[in-house]
Structures are given as C-alpha cells and as structure tokens.
Amino acid sequence: MKLRALLVPITFAIAMPVLAACGSEDPTPTPPRPLQTLVEVELNEWNVIPIVNQSGSGSTVFHVTNTGDLEHELVILRTGLEIDELPLTAKGIVDESAGEIIGEIEPDELQAGAQATATFGLGTGNYILLCNLPGHFQAGMRANFALEH
C-alpha cells in the first residue's frame, strides 16, 4: 500500500515538468496570406468574357480558357481611354502605347481549347481586357474590367 501511495506523487512530479514544457512555447502566429482575386476569362470568336470569382487585396490570378477554334491572347491594359477610343495601327491591332500593359498571356499559350493561368499585380481601377491579334479587337474581343479590392 505504501508503495502505491508513493507512486502517485512521484509520477505526478515527473509528468508535470514534461507537460509544462509541451505548452510553454509561445507559438508565433502565422500572418494571414493576402487574399487573391481570381478572374476566370473565356475567350472565343469573338468575345472576352471575364468573371470575378473572389475579391481580395493581393495579386490577381487570371485563369483563361480559349473555347474558340482559333488561337487568341489576353492583354490587360490600363488606360484612361474608353474601348472605342483606343487607337489602331495599320496592322489592325490596338496601339498598346495608348496605355500601360499590366500583363499578357501570349497566343502560344492560348491555342484553341487551351487554358493558361498567370498572376499579375493589379491595383484597384479600370482596365481593358483584349485580344490584340490582327482583326480580333475589331471583331469584338474586348471587355471593360474594373477591380475593386
């Protein structure tokens, strides 16, 4: 009986420092990751269709699907001009110097049926999404795009 009476305090004395050590660390909280804005974009003959799925304060991820039969590209242009005011070159493409190119997904990544994903740093504001292959912009491959964080 006496041995049993001594085992409980001894076990308690050994276990307390071990248990205290397990909980004594002050865990550093993990800082929250900035939210991303995910934009799904469908390209086809002759549309650019953006859908904002989530809004956040971080970078902007564009997931682009070419559902058309031709290759396309996606250009993200920040400009103070309206879509109909964008100047065209003699080649039938938008003069990209009319604004600031924020990002671009090239035609080799957006062949017919292809998907591509790219991340760009877009701030709050108004943009124009367009396909700048010859004749595609004039055929309707353009869309206004506003981003609010």
Side-chain angles (χ1 to χ4, degrees):
M1 233 8 170
K2 290 184 180 186
L3 183 60
R4 184 179 254 170
L6 288 175
L7 283 178
V8 172
I10 292 172
T11 303
F12 185 73
I14 293 171
M16 281 309 291
V18 172
L19 291 174
C22 291
S24 68
E25 290 183 33
D26 183 23
T28 304
T30 303
R33 291 179 41 204
L35 296 175
Q36 292 183 327
T37 299
L38 175 62
V39 181
E40 300 278 343
V41 181
E42 179 184 342
L43 303 176
N44 61 45
E45 290 78 16
W46 303 106
N47 299 291
V48 173
I49 306 165
I51 300 169
V52 178
N53 290 332
Q54 179 182 356
S55 192
S57 60
S59 56
T60 303
V61 178
F62 284 84
H63 181 74
V64 183
T65 304
N66 180 358
T67 61
D69 295 324
L70 303 173
E71 72 177 7
H72 295 294
E73 72 174 352
L74 179 69
V75 177
I76 304 161
L77 182 71
R78 183 192 330 241
T79 180
L81 299 174
E82 298 294 325
I83 285 180
D84 296 334
E85 297 173 340
L86 290 175
L88 300 177
T89 69
K91 293 181 181 180
I93 62 173
V94 171
D95 180 354
E96 294 177 351
S97 68
E100 176 189 0
I101 301 293
I102 302 299
E104 194 167 350
I105 301 176
E106 300 291 338
D108 61 334
E109 297 179 71
L110 289 172
Q111 298 293 317
Q115 296 182 0
T117 302
T119 303
F120 304 109
L122 275 70
T124 300
N126 295 315
Y127 301 87
I128 296 175
L129 307 180
L130 61 106
C131 179
N132 209 16
L133 297 179
H136 290 209
F137 176 83
Q138 297 95 309
M141 292 197 70
R142 56 191 182 215
N144 286 308
F145 178 73
L147 190 60
E148 298 177 12
H149 288 295

